[in-house]
Amino acid sequence: MAETTWHRQHIISLESFTPAEYETVIQTAESFRQVLSRRTKKVPALQGQVVTNLFFEPSTRTRSSFELAAKRLSADILNFAPGTSSLSKGETILDTAKTYLAMGTDLMVIRHQQAGVPLAIARELARLGAAVGVLNAGDGQHAHPSQALLDLFTLCTVLDAEAPSIHLLKGKKIVIVGDILHSRVARSNLWSLTACGASVHLVAPPTLLPAQFALPFQTAIAGSDQPRQVHLHATLPPALEGADFVMALRLQHERMTQHLLPSLREYHQQFGITRDRLAVCQPQVKLLHPGPTNRGVEISSDVMDDPALSLVSQQVTSGVAVRMALLYLMGTYHAA
Amino acid sequence: MAETTWHRQHIISLESFTPAEYETVIQTAESFRQVLSRRTKKVPALQGQVVTNLFFEPSTRTRSSFELAAKRLSADILNFAPGTSSLSKGETILDTAKTYLAMGTDLMVIRHQQAGVPLAIARELARLGAAVGVLNAGDGQHAHPSQALLDLFTLCTVLDAEAPSIHLLKGKKIVIVGDILHSRVARSNLWSLTACGASVHLVAPPTLLPAQFALPFQTAIAGSDQPRQVHLHATLPPALEGADFVMALRLQHERMTQHLLPSLREYHQQFGITRDRLAVCQPQVKLLHPGPTNRGVEISSDVMDDPALSLVSQQVTSGVAVRMALLYLMGTYHAA
Amino acid sequence: MAETTWHRQHIISLESFTPAEYETVIQTAESFRQVLSRRTKKVPALQGQVVTNLFFEPSTRTRSSFELAAKRLSADILNFAPGTSSLSKGETILDTAKTYLAMGTDLMVIRHQQAGVPLAIARELARLGAAVGVLNAGDGQHAHPSQALLDLFTLCTVLDAEAPSIHLLKGKKIVIVGDILHSRVARSNLWSLTACGASVHLVAPPTLLPAQFALPFQTAIAGSDQPRQVHLHATLPPALEGADFVMALRLQHERMTQHLLPSLREYHQQFGITRDRLAVCQPQVKLLHPGPTNRGVEISSDVMDDPALSLVSQQVTSGVAVRMALLYLMGTYHAA
């Protein structure tokens, strides 16, 4: 592991990430990807450190990914299980976090159904002078930075497997389609992809993509005076025209009951990714999806299963390397 | 650990296991049993490897046994928890398995309430060219190979604690009593016990043991031209006559509501194992039960608690050694 | 770690603990507290040993604390999850314990909603000649020894951070306020605090503190002929007069529906700990609470959050060191 400078105690949102920071994450993840290709996939970087998963919103996939990342850094892991927790006994979320801090937690990975909880916990712990780092693993519709960073790493490694770098993204056309309005994945990807110079095209029915949605992103890239490139579309064909990458978002079933969407079948007809629709993209176009997927809704099954098109499995694999990188970088801050 | 040749990537069923393969499992388990008798009970065999428990059907006992086996081989473990999983979000079982594969799983231990799921997953992963090994930890009424192999190891060590071997089983009379029809434990034990030369006697009320049940087992032992010896009984006394071992199966309460059984009390009167009933067996007769037991239904409490009669605890202890052996052997295939 | 003599295979209750035993726990915990202040917080004391958490009553906080203690002693951990367990399949508690014993458990940490379960399991395992140690992690309203021992350790380290010892407690006035009658924490603390020479003052509404409550504690300190000092109060002010430490107990909401208490607001007015009320205590008075707390009920939020007053976080931190000490000491018995 090369020496790296890292200046963030917490990773809550990507809004203020600079291109240099993204590049540090990508290069650190790349070195862990090489570790993971060895038969013995462990490094002692966080030996004796405690990583606590505070998942107030249940998740198997993301929790497992963080758990494996922490194990491969030789950390000890505590899992907070909401079902059997003190929360039902009236304890506040901040008191739960403080309890795990007092036990000796060094890094806290937090998921909560409400936006702002990881930040509130990070602030409270900072107020107490705690050296712990907080990593947002998804909060409401706000942010999911580790997902966007693993997407970024996946794109970089696809563009150049030998020398992945954010510079490869410059000028690429990336389409994000689906329930943009309610998606923390879309928001975090907007910050990272635009900061790396990609042109991001959002597509959704108007109920899921109001015109004012893009306003917060019409700002300069952090640490630069370059504008971010974001474009909105109400239909799929013009968005897909010449696209380098297409990211389909997961459709929450409850959107239908909220009358924001017609039926799943109609959604698929208008916004589902099929082989035919991808014909107008670049020849090397690839598809991403944060998972879990509703086959036949967001993506047709044959696109999902075509290794020449789908990056879904690669995203999961990238997830472990990127989360190792984030825990490692936060650990170096902590130790400094 | 002696060098062993092992040719199976997956362990789904015992149907095609040869006597030589059973002997390899027994000898490997025996060497791990010696490891487990030391104060420090770990070996580095699977250091850095990931064993994922995909238990779609909940289980504490079997999952703990696999978890401990994996830990003692120094593997990292991921547990998939069905309650809080992506399945409720509409993801398919195959996609769940592929997600854990993409995270870096080397060995997958799978339990599912439906027969055929572990095989379907193994086939799909093979189609993708994955080097992962799949171990069936119980699928519907089909198979539970690790249970049958730990039963086999228990019998071999009882017959000769110093030099356990499948050859000791030749000509032994082994009775299996209970809900044969719905039992994956019975089916897997039928393949293994008959292949090792034992004579297996099945006993159950006719609703739980139809005449055609034994047909699939009226075949030659795999890798040999010897027939398998299976006998059916409708009442307990003739089956127990001269028996060397008696295995009682767990009675599922739902069998009563399906009108396949009279009351629990009547079941115990006709098919429950008591000290009196065992009088017609061999003097050294021993009792097995896969657990968890319904005391006073399948077995009387005093038989269950008599260390001279009951092998129930020894089966649990054997389970850890045998599961270490299976994970180890699959790991050697993987590495080869 | 200095050589220590320890003569208990199990820790079920503190009733018979002698001052010398408490001192051994404190000194062992102190040496682990020093380990925990290092960056690498692990010792190999229980390498290869298996610690099983049998938590029939769900708990996140206590289970996490034991889990981390066991991990830092390098043990392997098995967690029994009641929800998905064999208990729903009709297995007895003793059979569940025996199953985990047979798997190779060395130390069993047991929590159960009914008093007496850990003792019953310890007796059954002893009857079987098992070398396993049982640690009661809370049984009904009976006992919670590790909580009382971490409270004791917290008090000793507050009194002298450099040289904690039970002798520092001699003559201190310690107030316990709240639902005394139903509290296993209060009972265990009564044994330990009185044995170390503190004077314990209990305060509660009469429905939660009947006159005969103190009878069992009007006995000599174990291994001595000194009486235990216990005093009862029906109102807070006289109890708090000159107090060195105040321990507020958690109020179970179900007490209200049982008509043992008026409203939460009235409870707080009469028995809640506020900054004003603490004015009659010693100037250095400190507050303890076993957690999770109902802020604004048992304690006002500003007292809870004042590091000059509240020991709540320190109690959690002490918990890991004390549980390491208990598992370590039981392990040395085991090895002897």
Side-chain angles (χ1 to χ4, degrees):
Chain A
M1 196 59 47
E3 286 302 304
T4 326
T5 324
W6 185 255
H7 303 287
R8 288 180 189 268
Q9 182 173 3
H10 310 300
I11 298 177
I12 305 295
S13 154
L14 299 180
E15 185 166 354
S16 65
F17 265 57
T18 62
E21 288 181 291
Y22 289 114
E23 188 69 14
T24 298
V25 171
I26 296 307
Q27 297 313 321
T28 310
E30 173 60 14
S31 65
F32 283 121
R33 188 168 70 121
Q34 289 164 17
V35 168
L36 293 177
S37 69
R38 300 195 309 238
R39 182 154 170 86
T40 297
K41 307 176 182 93
K42 293 189 95 138
V43 290
L46 296 186
Q47 180 97 44
Q49 303 288 293
V50 176
V51 174
T52 296
N53 289 319
L54 282 183
F55 274 56
F56 298 96
E57 177 184 293
S59 157
T60 299
R61 167 192 292 260
T62 306
R63 190 187 47 68
S64 288
S65 181
F66 273 109
E67 203 173 319
L68 190 54
K71 281 179 178 168
R72 288 182 156 172
L73 293 166
S74 304
D76 287 323
I77 294 126
L78 289 180
N79 280 309
F80 169 81
T84 58
S85 84
S86 298
L87 289 180
S88 55
K89 300 185 187 169
E91 191 180 48
T92 68
I93 289 170
L94 290 181
D95 283 343
T96 299
K98 280 188 270 187
T99 297
Y100 280 91
L101 172 68
M103 279 187 206
T105 296
D106 297 285
L107 294 168
M108 221 173 257
V109 179
I110 301 176
R111 169 169 286 200
H112 198 285
Q113 49 274 38
Q114 292 211 300
V117 168
L119 179 61
I121 290 176
R123 281 189 176 149
E124 174 70 4
L125 300 183
R127 200 185 60 78
L128 299 173
V132 71
V134 171
L135 202 166
N136 180 4
D139 63 329
Q141 298 169 7
H142 170 235
H144 191 353
S146 67
Q147 176 70 41
L149 293 169
L150 74 86
D151 290 337
L152 183 65
F153 181 63
T154 305
L155 296 175
C156 294
T157 51
V158 165
L159 289 168
D160 187 340
E162 301 301 310
S165 161
I166 64 162
H167 302 297
L168 301 161
L169 277 182
K170 196 150 293 176
K172 296 297 176 193
K173 178 174 184 180
I174 302 178
V175 178
I176 304 181
V177 54
D179 182 3
I180 310 276
L181 181 62
H182 301 96
S183 173
R184 57 194 178 207
V185 174
R187 282 181 179 77
S188 284
N189 264 295
L190 269 163
W191 294 120
S192 54
L193 297 175
T194 54
C196 296
S199 174
V200 179
H201 292 250
L202 306 173
V203 199
T207 47
L208 299 180
L209 183 55
Q212 69 273 25
F213 177 86
L215 289 179
F217 304 97
Q218 284 163 0
T219 50
I221 293 164
S224 130
D225 54 4
Q226 297 294 307
R228 299 178 187 268
Q229 296 181 53
V230 182
H231 308 273
L232 273 57
H233 303 263
T235 57
L236 202 48
L240 291 182
E241 188 82 37
D244 295 284
F245 295 100
V246 179
M247 179 184 297
L249 299 175
R250 182 178 162 70
L251 198 70
Q252 311 289 338
H253 289 259
E254 60 265 36
R255 299 298 170 239
M256 251 71 61
T257 57
Q258 296 163 340
H259 303 296
L260 295 174
L261 268 188
S263 70
L264 289 183
R265 208 167 58 89
E266 281 176 274
Y267 178 85
H268 183 66
Q269 278 173 353
Q270 287 183 54
F271 297 97
I273 303 301
T274 61
R275 193 175 295 271
D276 283 355
R277 287 242 171 79
L278 293 174
V280 299
C281 301
Q282 293 290 339
Q284 298 302 320
V285 67
K286 304 278 182 197
L287 183 101
L288 298 98
H289 189 295
T293 50
N294 297 300
R295 285 168 172 264
V297 180
E298 304 116 24
I299 321 179
S300 68
S301 254
D302 75 307
V303 170
M304 171 95 177
D305 290 335
D306 184 344
L309 282 175
S310 167
L311 296 176
V312 173
S313 280
Q314 248 171 282
Q315 287 172 278
V316 175
T317 304
S318 296
V320 179
V322 165
R323 287 171 177 130
M324 286 177 78
L326 299 179
L327 295 173
Y328 171 83
L329 290 169
M330 292 170 74
T332 63
Y333 174 92
H334 193 124
Chain B
M1 195 60 47
E3 286 302 303
T4 327
T5 324
W6 185 255
H7 303 287
R8 287 180 189 269
Q9 182 172 3
H10 310 300
I11 299 177
I12 304 295
S13 154
L14 299 180
E15 184 168 353
S16 65
F17 264 57
T18 62
E21 288 182 292
Y22 289 114
E23 188 70 14
T24 299
V25 171
I26 296 309
Q27 297 313 321
T28 309
E30 172 60 15
S31 63
F32 284 121
R33 188 167 71 121
Q34 290 165 17
V35 169
L36 292 177
S37 68
R38 300 195 310 236
R39 182 156 169 84
T40 297
K41 306 175 182 95
K42 292 188 97 137
V43 290
L46 296 186
Q47 181 97 44
Q49 302 288 293
V50 176
V51 174
T52 296
N53 289 318
L54 281 183
F55 274 56
F56 298 96
E57 177 184 292
S59 157
T60 300
R61 169 192 290 261
T62 305
R63 190 188 46 69
S64 288
S65 181
F66 273 109
E67 202 172 320
L68 190 53
K71 282 179 176 168
R72 289 181 157 173
L73 293 166
S74 303
D76 287 324
I77 294 126
L78 289 179
N79 280 309
F80 169 81
T84 59
S85 83
S86 297
L87 289 182
S88 55
K89 300 183 187 168
E91 191 180 47
T92 68
I93 289 170
L94 290 181
D95 283 343
T96 299
K98 279 188 270 187
T99 297
Y100 280 91
L101 173 69
M103 280 186 205
T105 296
D106 297 286
L107 294 168
M108 219 173 260
V109 179
I110 301 175
R111 169 170 286 200
H112 198 283
Q113 49 274 38
Q114 293 210 301
V117 168
L119 179 61
I121 291 176
R123 281 189 176 150
E124 175 69 5
L125 301 183
R127 198 184 61 78
L128 300 172
V132 69
V134 171
L135 202 166
N136 179 5
D139 63 329
Q141 299 168 6
H142 171 236
H144 191 352
S146 67
Q147 177 70 42
L149 292 169
L150 75 85
D151 291 336
L152 183 66
F153 181 63
T154 305
L155 296 176
C156 293
T157 52
V158 165
L159 289 169
D160 188 340
E162 301 302 310
S165 160
I166 64 163
H167 301 298
L168 301 160
L169 276 183
K170 196 149 294 175
K172 297 296 176 192
K173 179 175 183 180
I174 302 178
V175 177
I176 304 180
V177 56
D179 183 3
I180 311 276
L181 181 62
H182 301 95
S183 174
R184 57 195 178 206
V185 174
R187 281 180 179 78
S188 284
N189 264 293
L190 268 163
W191 294 119
S192 55
L193 297 175
T194 55
C196 297
S199 175
V200 179
H201 292 249
L202 306 173
V203 200
T207 48
L208 299 180
L209 183 55
Q212 68 274 26
F213 178 86
L215 289 179
F217 304 98
Q218 285 162 1
T219 50
I221 294 163
S224 129
D225 54 4
Q226 297 294 308
R228 299 178 188 267
Q229 296 182 52
V230 184
H231 308 273
L232 273 58
H233 303 263
T235 60
L236 202 48
L240 291 182
E241 188 83 38
D244 295 284
F245 296 100
V246 178
M247 179 184 296
L249 299 175
R250 182 177 163 70
L251 199 69
Q252 312 288 338
H253 288 260
E254 59 265 35
R255 300 297 170 239
M256 251 72 63
T257 57
Q258 296 163 338
H259 303 297
L260 295 174
L261 269 187
S263 70
L264 289 183
R265 208 167 58 88
E266 281 176 274
Y267 178 85
H268 184 66
Q269 279 172 353
Q270 287 182 55
F271 296 98
I273 304 300
T274 61
R275 194 175 294 273
D276 283 355
R277 286 241 171 80
L278 294 175
V280 299
C281 301
Q282 292 290 340
Q284 298 302 320
V285 68
K286 305 277 182 198
L287 183 101
L288 298 99
H289 188 296
T293 50
N294 297 299
R295 285 169 172 265
V297 180
E298 303 115 23
I299 321 179
S300 68
S301 254
D302 75 307
V303 169
M304 171 96 178
D305 290 335
D306 184 345
L309 281 176
S310 166
L311 297 176
V312 172
S313 281
Q314 249 172 281
Q315 286 172 280
V316 174
T317 304
S318 296
V320 179
V322 165
R323 287 169 177 132
M324 287 177 78
L326 299 180
L327 295 173
Y328 171 82
L329 290 169
M330 291 169 75
T332 62
Y333 175 92
H334 194 123
Chain C
M1 195 60 47
E3 286 300 304
T4 328
T5 324
W6 187 255
H7 303 287
R8 288 181 189 268
Q9 182 172 4
H10 309 301
I11 299 178
I12 304 294
S13 155
L14 300 179
E15 185 167 354
S16 64
F17 264 58
T18 63
E21 288 181 294
Y22 289 114
E23 189 68 15
T24 299
V25 171
I26 296 308
Q27 296 314 320
T28 310
E30 173 60 13
S31 64
F32 283 121
R33 188 168 71 120
Q34 290 165 15
V35 169
L36 293 178
S37 68
R38 301 196 307 238
R39 182 155 169 84
T40 296
K41 306 175 183 95
K42 292 188 96 139
V43 289
L46 296 186
Q47 179 97 45
Q49 303 287 294
V50 176
V51 175
T52 296
N53 289 319
L54 282 183
F55 274 56
F56 298 96
E57 177 184 292
S59 157
T60 300
R61 169 191 289 262
T62 306
R63 190 187 46 68
S64 288
S65 181
F66 272 110
E67 203 172 318
L68 190 53
K71 282 179 176 166
R72 288 181 157 174
L73 293 166
S74 305
D76 287 323
I77 294 125
L78 289 180
N79 281 309
F80 169 81
T84 58
S85 82
S86 298
L87 289 181
S88 56
K89 300 184 187 169
E91 191 180 47
T92 69
I93 290 170
L94 291 181
D95 283 343
T96 299
K98 279 188 271 186
T99 297
Y100 280 91
L101 172 69
M103 280 187 206
T105 296
D106 296 287
L107 295 168
M108 221 174 258
V109 180
I110 301 175
R111 169 169 286 200
H112 198 283
Q113 48 275 37
Q114 291 211 302
V117 168
L119 179 61
I121 290 176
R123 281 188 176 150
E124 174 70 4
L125 301 183
R127 198 184 62 76
L128 299 173
V132 70
V134 171
L135 202 166
N136 180 4
D139 63 330
Q141 299 169 7
H142 170 235
H144 191 354
S146 67
Q147 177 69 43
L149 292 169
L150 74 87
D151 291 337
L152 183 66
F153 182 63
T154 305
L155 296 175
C156 293
T157 52
V158 164
L159 289 168
D160 187 340
E162 302 301 311
S165 160
I166 65 163
H167 301 298
L168 301 160
L169 277 182
K170 197 150 293 176
K172 297 296 176 194
K173 179 175 183 180
I174 302 177
V175 178
I176 304 180
V177 55
D179 182 3
I180 311 274
L181 181 61
H182 302 94
S183 173
R184 57 194 178 207
V185 174
R187 282 180 179 77
S188 284
N189 265 294
L190 268 163
W191 294 119
S192 55
L193 297 175
T194 55
C196 297
S199 174
V200 179
H201 292 249
L202 305 174
V203 200
T207 47
L208 299 180
L209 183 55
Q212 67 274 26
F213 177 85
L215 289 180
F217 303 97
Q218 285 163 0
T219 49
I221 294 163
S224 128
D225 54 5
Q226 297 294 308
R228 299 177 186 268
Q229 296 181 54
V230 183
H231 308 273
L232 273 57
H233 303 265
T235 59
L236 202 48
L240 290 182
E241 188 84 39
D244 296 283
F245 296 100
V246 179
M247 180 185 296
L249 299 176
R250 179 176 165 69
L251 199 70
Q252 312 289 338
H253 289 259
E254 59 265 36
R255 302 295 171 240
M256 250 70 64
T257 56
Q258 296 163 338
H259 303 295
L260 294 174
L261 269 187
S263 70
L264 289 183
R265 208 168 59 87
E266 281 176 274
Y267 178 85
H268 183 67
Q269 279 174 354
Q270 288 183 54
F271 296 98
I273 303 301
T274 61
R275 192 175 295 273
D276 283 356
R277 286 242 171 79
L278 292 175
V280 298
C281 301
Q282 293 291 340
Q284 299 303 319
V285 68
K286 304 278 181 197
L287 183 100
L288 298 99
H289 189 295
T293 50
N294 297 300
R295 284 168 172 267
V297 181
E298 304 116 23
I299 321 180
S300 68
S301 254
D302 75 307
V303 170
M304 170 96 179
D305 289 336
D306 185 343
L309 281 176
S310 167
L311 297 176
V312 172
S313 279
Q314 249 171 282
Q315 288 173 277
V316 175
T317 304
S318 296
V320 179
V322 166
R323 286 168 178 134
M324 286 176 79
L326 299 179
L327 294 173
Y328 171 81
L329 290 170
M330 291 169 75
T332 63
Y333 174 91
H334 193 124

